Amino acid sequence: MATSPILFIFCLSLLAAASEASTAHDELVKYGFPVGLIPADIESYTLNRTSGAFSLGLGGNCRVTLPPDNYLAAYSPRITGKIVENRIAELDGISVRAFFKWWGITGIRSSGQDLVFEVGMVTAKYPSKNFDVSPQCEGRHSSD
């Protein structure tokens, strides 16, 4: 039985669409951020290109150790915010443990070389290169 040319073209178009599909990590790079700001374990994401509103789904809580000072960061199962070129605002769902307390990161700015993390009115600046690799969630076990 010969393969239908229409079926063949349909399959090729699906493959092309899949190879062009963007990931949350790709989107970060497009907006001027390194991929390591979010864990490798992103299960889903949405992005409204008009408003910049985004939502990331992790499928559960996630903890990672952030370089260079080995701060413990906690990611909620759902992270939301608004992203524009070199700026993430209204961030909700990422906290960092410092000075024996959990602090919510409310925004992040990028200058290319450095990242400035906002915790309310307080900021902390780190080299962007510290976030070149997406961390794996600590303590998660694969269901394989």
Side-chain angles (χ1 to χ4, degrees), residues 80-128:
T80 60
K82 289 189 176 182
I83 190 167
V84 295
E85 187 71 25
N86 300 318
R87 176 98 171 96
I88 299 172
E90 300 177 31
L91 189 57
D92 185 44
I94 304 175
S95 299
V96 65
R97 184 158 173 86
F99 307 112
F100 308 106
K101 184 178 176 184
W102 285 99
W103 305 87
I105 297 174
T106 57
I108 305 170
R109 295 186 314 258
S110 173
S111 68
Q113 297 290 349
D114 294 309
L115 295 173
V116 176
F117 293 86
E118 301 167 353
V119 180
M121 298 299 288
V122 178
T123 62
K125 184 166 116 176
Y126 292 98
S128 292

